[in-house]
Structures are given as structure tokens and as C-alpha cells.
């Protein structure tokens, strides 16, 4: 009987469709912790600080808060000058040298001279327009950053939203800027809450200063701003949910809406009472730290550059890096406060309670520098910064 031979059976070659795709990398802002830190700030910092400012003696607490949150976020802006690639870009053209070197230095000198020579007291009309413009820039910067971070939260959903929705959201944050400015011009209290106006809804007393413009004008502007903000917010949320449903209800929408609600509520605190503005800025400060972390720790460095080698050693130890930021911010806080005391404008700047005008004066020079530089280094229209941010916050999409 012949012996049967069993031939080995060849296994079918797996097709590309049967090969499991490698797991998609997760980008920095696609993780849970960075957005959770931003959202958690509202309960951990914003609301407690608002309560302290409203009902407690807050001198030392507020200064420590400004040091650890506000001043450190200003100091982090300087880290862009600690990388050789950025410095080469800053010095590449005359225009860049003007924007990144001449104008920032000029801003510090200008504000120092304005305070030293008490220009506000000598030329009150000029001071009114100048400091009003600074505050308007401040409010615009606050809300523009909120708008930008909100786009990052929306991007976590993976949904491609209509271009018109972004314009509506931008207009909503612009309406918040108008409301903040109306309260500031009203002397630090919402015009609708002051007595004597034709649109007063509740009489809670006068603001910290007299209104700069007639109360009736400020009340009309506030009513228009409130109506615009409510309408734009409603249109924004409606358009967001509609696009999200059309995309199949992916994850991430709850976080985006929560961020929008928290930042709107933060702005409303200062719209009602401007001294609460320092509490309104808590998320602004924390989200800046969160977003600057990849630019500080993951940006490419040139080993041939002595500056980059030094910066690389500092950032290799995050405890050392942030300790240096905190120390420098502390020195800036103390020197700024001491300088105001020496000028005689604000004697006893660390006394309680802390006046909100003192805090405004402290931040003016640093803020305008920070605002100007930030306006440049986050521009997508600049090919250098667009390329340097590629892949820092979201993983590249598969081909």
C-alpha cells in the first residue's frame, strides 16, 4: 500500500486590509491632563480668588497669586529669546529686528518714563486716552487668547466646523471685550448697577472711581454688549452642536463647551465688578503655562549653539526650570512694587487691601510687552512659527 505524503499547507499571505494599523500617536493637547488642568482652574483658583477679593482682606494673598500665576506667565514669554533658532529668526530682517528687539525694549522704556515723570498727573487728557487704550488692549488680549484656546478644545473633537462658526465665536469674545471696557470706564462697577441712570437695573452703589463717560452712554453700550454677547453665544453653541451631531457625535464636545462656559463666566465676574478681574485671569494664566510647556521643553535645539546647550541643561530638569521662572518672577514683582512706592504714587503697596489701580499699574509695561510679543509668536501666517509648532499640540494625521 503506497504511503501517502502530507504536504505542508501554505498559509495565505495577509492582505493589507487584514494588517492591524499601528496605534495613532496621541498629541499633547489630545491627552487628558492638559485640558483638565485648564478647566480645573476655575474651581481651584478663579472662584476662591473671587471670594477673597470680594469678602476678605487679600493683600498678601493677592500679591502671592500675582507672583506665582501672573508674573510667571509674563516671564515665560522671555523663554522664546532663549533659543538660538528663534533669535536667528528675530534678527533675520530689519522688520523682524524692529518687531522683536526695538519695539519690546521701547515699550519698557516708555512705560518707565511715563511712571517716573508722572505723565498722567501732568497731562490728564493724554493719560485718559493712553491708559484707556492700554486697558482695551488688555481686555482684547484676554479674550483673543480665550478664543484661540477654545479652538484647540474644538480641535480635540476631530470635527471640521464651518468657517462661519469661528467668526461668530470671535465676535462673541469681542463683545466680552466691549463689556469689560464699559465697566472699566464706569469706574470699576457695571454701569447697569449704578444709581442715576435710565437703564439702572439695581442700585448697589458707586464704583471705585467716577465714570469717565456719561452713565447713560455707558449703560446703553452695556445693554447693546449684553444683547450681542447673548445672541452670539447662542448662535455659537447651536452651530457647534449641529456640526458635532452631523459628524456622528464624537468625543470632546463636553470639554469644549465647559471651557466656553468657564471663560465666559470668568469675564462676567469682571464685567460686574472690575476688582474681580484678577480672579478672571486665573484660567488665562494657567492655560498659558499649559500651552507654553511644549514650546519650552519639546522645541528643537541646536547643539552647536552655546545658548541652546545652556537652555537644554536648564530645561532638562523641570523643577530647576520652573524654580528659575518663579525666582525671576518674584524679583520682578518686588522691584515693580518697590518702584511704585519710591515714586510716591502708591505708598505701602503691600498694605491691605490691595487697590485694583495698583495692580493695573504693576502690569501695564509687562502686559504690553507680553501682548506684543505673543501677538507675533503665535501667528500662523508666519511660516517659521507655523513650522516650529507643527506636531507640538496634535499628532499628525495619518496619510
Amino acid at each position: 500500500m503506497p504511503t501517502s505524503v502530507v504536504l505542508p499547507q501554505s498559509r495565505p499571505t495577509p492582505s493589507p486590509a487584514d494588517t492591524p494599523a499601528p496605534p495613532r500617536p496621541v498629541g499633547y493637547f489630545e491627552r487628558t491632563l492638559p485640558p483638565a488642568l485648564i478647566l480645573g482652574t476655575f474651581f481651584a483658583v478663579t472662584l476662591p480668588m473671587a471670594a477673597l477679593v470680594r469678602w476678605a482682606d487679600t493683600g498678601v494673598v493677592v500679591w502671592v497669586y500675582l507672583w506665582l500665576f501672573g508674573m510667571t506667565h509674563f516671564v515665560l514669554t522671555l523663554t522664546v529669546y532663549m533659543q538660538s533658532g528663534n533669535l536667528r529668526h528675530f534678527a533675520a530682517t530689519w522688520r523682524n529686528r524692529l518687531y522683536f528687539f526695538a519695539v519690546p525694549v521701547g515699550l519698557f522704556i516708555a512705560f518707565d518714563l511715563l511712571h517716573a515723570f508722572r505723565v498722567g498727573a501732568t497731562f490728564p487728557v493724554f493719560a485718559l486716552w493712553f491708559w484707556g487704550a492700554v486697558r482695551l488692549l488688555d481686555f482684547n488680549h484676554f479674550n483673543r487668547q480665550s478664543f484661540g484656546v477654545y479652538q484647540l478644545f474644538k480641535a480635540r473633537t476631530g470635527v471640521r466646523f464651518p468657517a462661519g462658526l469661528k467668526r461668530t465665536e470671535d465676535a462673541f469674545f469681542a463683545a466680552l471685550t466691549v463689556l469689560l471696557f464699559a465697566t472699566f470706564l464706569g469706574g470699576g462697577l457695571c454701569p447697569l448697577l449704578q444709581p442715576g441712570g435710565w437703564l439702572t437695573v439695581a442700585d448697589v452703589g458707586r464704583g471705585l472711581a467716577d465714570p469717565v463717560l456719561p452713565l447713560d452712554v455707558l449703560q446703553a453700550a452695556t445693554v447693546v454688549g449684553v444683547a450681542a454677547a447673548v445672541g452670539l453665544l447662542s448662535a455659537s453653541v447651536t452651530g457647534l452642536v449641529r456640526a458635532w451631531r452631523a459628524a456622528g457625535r464624537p468625543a470632546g464636545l463636553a470639554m469644549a463647551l465647559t471651557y466656553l462656559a468657564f471663560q465666559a463666566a470668568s469675564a462676567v465676574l469682571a464685567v460686574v465688578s472690575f476688582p474681580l478681574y484678577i480672579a478672571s485671569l486665573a484660567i488665562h494664566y494657567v492655560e498659558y503655562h499649559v500651552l507654553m510647556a511644549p514650546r519650552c521643553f519639546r522645541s528643537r535645539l541646536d547643539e552647536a549653539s552655546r545658548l541652546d546647550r545652556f537652555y537644554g541643561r536648564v530645561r532638562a530638569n523641570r523643577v530647576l526650570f520652573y524654580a528659575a521662572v518663579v525666582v525671576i518672577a518674584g524679583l520682578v514683582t518686588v522691584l515693580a512694587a518697590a518702584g511704585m512706592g519710591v515714586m510716591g504714587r502708591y505708598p505701602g503697596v503691600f498694605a491691605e487691601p490691595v487697590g485694583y489701580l495698583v495692580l493695573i499699574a504693576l502690569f501695564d509695561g509687562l502686559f504690553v510687552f507680553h501682548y506684543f510679543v505673543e501677538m507675533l509668536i503665535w501667528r500662523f501666517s508666519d511660516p517659521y512659527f507655523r513650522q516650529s509648532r507643527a506636531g507640538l499640540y496634535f499628532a499628525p494625521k495619518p496619510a
Side-chain angles (χ1 to χ4, degrees), residues 27 38 40 43 65 75 80 120 132 139 147 204 259 298 307:
I38 295 173
F43 294 107
Y65 161 76
V75 170
V80 299
F139 302 146
F147 167 75
V204 301
Y259 176 81
R298 296 174 55 193
L307 177 64

Side-chain angles (χ1 to χ4, degrees), residues 50-58:
L52 284 171
V53 171
R54 178 65 181 84
W55 290 295
D57 292 333
T58 57

